[in-house]
Amino acid sequence: FKSKIIIVTNFVFYVLIYFSYLILAGSFGLISLTFGVVALLSARILNWQKFRLELQTEMMRNAYLASALFIFPYALYHIVPNDFVGLSWMIVALAYYLLSRYFKNKKYRWMSILTLLLTVVYMILFGTTNLSPTYRILSFLFLGTALILVSISYSKRKRIQDLPTKM
């Protein structure tokens, strides 16, 4: 944990192993999701041990979180049947939101928002044309429900923050 070189080299090896997997694997499986789990765990370990690190910035932790942000949707796009891609991404967004609540960390909340935004874009571009009518209705129903819940959650949080405090 003491050396900056070791931490940066560890991330470089992680990226090289992931891209080697993408090139050599040929097909995607559940193993591709483990790269996202490793990225999240690495970010948590870096946060947990930050008092022992020589790194004074959050750059390496952000790099791991950014890689998880891209790995999960990309892997799920290839693993899950086309009718369930949007739903699986909403589950990932929910998992990020729950992590943000549990760890009280804004970075996971931003990951949740970005994944939800990616889901909206995917559903608008591909969900309207590529899904069967039943799955299209269900996907948009779940997406609408998720967006309403996010809106309610943030409006409650904003209302609580705007309340005047008594002195």
Side-chain angles (χ1 to χ4, degrees):
F1 286 111
K2 289 286 185 185
S3 176
K4 296 176 191 177
I5 295 171
I6 292 174
I7 295 169
V8 172
T9 305
N10 190 22
F11 180 73
V12 170
F13 281 145
Y14 166 77
V15 171
L16 288 175
I17 291 170
Y18 179 66
F19 284 122
S20 299
Y21 169 77
L22 289 178
I23 292 168
L24 299 174
S27 65
F28 284 84
L30 293 177
I31 292 173
S32 57
L33 290 176
T34 61
F35 286 100
V37 172
V38 167
L40 289 176
L41 289 176
S42 298
R44 287 303 322 150
I45 290 170
L46 287 176
N47 189 48
W48 175 45
Q49 295 294 323
K50 65 182 168 189
F51 66 93
R52 294 175 61 189
L53 299 174
E54 288 181 0
L55 292 174
Q56 298 302 318
T57 65
E58 292 278 314
M59 186 175 70
M60 291 310 302
R61 185 164 179 262
N62 291 341
Y64 278 113
L65 292 174
S67 64
L69 179 66
F70 292 107
I71 287 173
F72 281 119
Y74 185 72
L76 288 171
Y77 178 78
H78 290 287
I79 294 171
V80 177
N82 288 340
D83 292 336
F84 298 108
V85 170
L87 294 173
S88 67
W89 290 1
M90 281 188 275
I91 292 170
V92 170
L94 175 66
Y96 287 148
Y97 180 75
L98 293 175
L99 285 172
S100 78
R101 299 285 292 200
Y102 181 75
F103 292 118
K104 295 176 181 29
N105 192 320
K106 290 181 184 179
K107 292 178 183 181
Y108 292 113
R109 193 169 344 136
W110 277 107
M111 291 172 68
S112 174
I113 292 169
L114 291 173
T115 304
L116 198 57
L117 181 65
L118 179 68
T119 306
V120 168
V121 170
Y122 175 81
M123 291 302 296
I124 289 171
L125 294 178
F126 300 107
T128 56
T129 57
N130 295 345
L131 296 179
S132 64
T134 304
Y135 290 115
R136 187 179 315 144
I137 291 168
L138 288 175
S139 295
F140 278 105
L141 182 68
F142 283 119
L143 181 62
T145 304
L147 291 173
I148 289 171
L149 291 175
V150 167
S151 176
I152 290 170
S153 171
Y154 284 111
S155 66
K156 280 185 181 180
R157 180 174 292 155
K158 179 73 173 155
R159 199 173 332 129
I160 289 172
Q161 289 175 352
D162 290 343
L163 289 176
T165 57
K166 295 181 181 179
M167 291 189 203

